[in-house]
Amino acid sequence: MPERVMFTPAALDEPWGQQILARVQSLNLPIEELPRNRLTGLRGEDERETYNIAKRTLAVVTAPPSHFKLSPIPPSADWQFHLAEGCPAHCQYCYLAGSLSGPPVIRTYANLPLILENLAAYERPGQVTTYEVSCYTDPLGIEHLTGSLAECIRYFGTRTDAHLRWVSKFSAVDGLLDLPHNGHTRCRMSVNAAPISGKFEGGTASVASRLAALRQLALPRERGGGGYPVGLVIAPIMPIDNWQMHYSRLFDSISEALDMDCDLTFELISHRFTPGSKEVLQTWYPQSKLDMDEAKRSIKRNKFGGIKYVYDAGTMKAMKRFFEDEIQRRYPDAEILYWT
């Protein structure tokens, strides 16, 4: 629950903004109606205080024009779009660090119907086009405040050749189970080995709760579930001490939760960081024990000349082989979408 919710005038002019206002009022949260379409009062005396203020604030705004020009997001999906930016969790490896400018306030968009209407222009007739909505937020983590994820699922349920993808570290899925998704939304949970999730994923649901939620989403309707296609994002994978044992235990937990036939995919993402994200994360989490020693990493360059620090080739090869072997042995019908 945010400590305050800010609305811009433009957001209150939108019918969806009024819907969010009604939700927030029903939760008796402190509401501020801003005089201008500009967020203020989010900075503290230092970066850590600014982080704390911003993370406790939900700002209801309108998506800027730039958000209507979609960007491709391989290998996750064909395109990304945003119902919000910023996340209520406190993951010490947060990949949003360095990606979004300014204080990490959670901004949710009141012009969601226009955002959804714009998506049809990117569909490819006669073949499925996929859209990722979790790049800059955890949509389930704010769903009780916005209702926007459910609205997206309803929209994609009406499309013939467009599928939605979302991922979360939260577990409140009851409101999604009865939606008319028509199999066009894949719900995924981000999970990790216990020593990593327990140490670095503050403010999230436990991995056990996430897996229980995924089970509910995957169960057929006649068994009280949502009947969704589902997926697991194992990320960020780290070669911690006894990593094979810890990840084997994670797979045991997955097997217990998904002990029925379901449409299941895996996405495997090793830990990486950039110089910019390391700098931001060290101001947000100055006491973190997250290993970001460049001397232990290899450099990976993108096509724009930017660099990421990744594990060396031998470590990456060993981890990739372990995960692929485990998944193929335990879940022969599941598809591994990618390793990165």
Side-chain angles (χ1 to χ4, degrees), residues 49-261:
E49 188 181 0
T50 296
Y51 168 89
N52 286 331
I53 293 170
K55 279 282 191 173
R56 295 196 295 264
T57 302
L58 177 72
V60 186
V61 301
T62 51
S66 61
H67 278 41
F68 292 83
K69 187 176 188 305
L70 303 192
S71 300
I73 185 68
S76 179
D78 295 315
W79 302 101
Q80 59 177 311
F81 75 100
H82 311 292
L83 56 78
E85 287 187 0
C87 174
H90 300 274
C91 299
Q92 294 175 30
Y93 51 75
C94 178
Y95 73 93
L96 292 180
S99 299
L100 300 176
S101 60
V105 61
I106 301 144
R107 295 175 173 85
T108 190
Y109 297 130
N111 51 344
L112 179 65
L114 290 175
I115 293 169
L116 294 176
E117 185 181 309
N118 180 60
L119 302 181
Y122 291 83
E123 291 182 24
R124 300 167 299 185
Q127 55 183 311
V128 172
T129 304
T130 55
Y131 297 81
E132 175 66 63
V133 75
S134 316
C135 292
Y136 286 168
T137 191
D138 187 313
L140 188 60
I142 57 174
E143 176 66 4
H144 60 295
L145 302 166
T146 69
S148 295
L149 178 57
E151 187 69 5
C152 291
I153 292 170
R154 289 188 201 96
Y155 170 82
F156 277 88
T158 69
R159 307 304 296 174
T160 303
D161 298 319
H163 286 187
L164 176 68
R165 295 164 53 74
W166 61 269
V167 63
S168 181
K169 292 190 182 80
F170 292 86
S171 60
V173 298
D174 286 354
L176 307 180
L177 298 180
D178 294 328
L179 297 177
H181 58 80
N182 290 323
H184 294 176
T185 292
R186 186 173 296 275
C187 311
R188 298 120 72 215
M189 287 290 161
S190 177
V191 295
N192 216 319
I196 298 170
S197 60
K199 188 182 295 183
F200 298 124
E201 295 179 351
T204 64
S206 68
V207 170
S209 296
R210 295 176 220 169
L211 291 175
L214 196 67
R215 175 184 176 82
Q216 280 298 107
L217 292 163
L219 277 171
R221 286 273 168 85
E222 59 268 23
R223 293 178 61 185
Y228 285 93
V230 295
L232 286 154
V233 180
I234 305 180
I237 296 167
M238 302 180 193
I240 57 175
D241 290 343
N242 300 312
W243 62 269
Q244 296 98 327
M245 177 192 73
H246 290 298
Y247 281 110
S248 289
R249 289 178 177 172
L250 174 63
F251 282 124
D252 290 342
S253 298
I254 293 169
S255 298
E256 290 173 17
L258 301 178
D259 61 347
M260 69 286 191
D261 289 336

Side-chain angles (χ1 to χ4, degrees), residues 1-5 23-31 145:
M1 289 292 179
E3 289 192 358
R4 62 175 176 168
V5 183
R23 277 179 173 261
V24 171
Q25 287 173 331
S26 73
L27 295 169
N28 295 315
L29 294 172
I31 294 168
L145 302 166

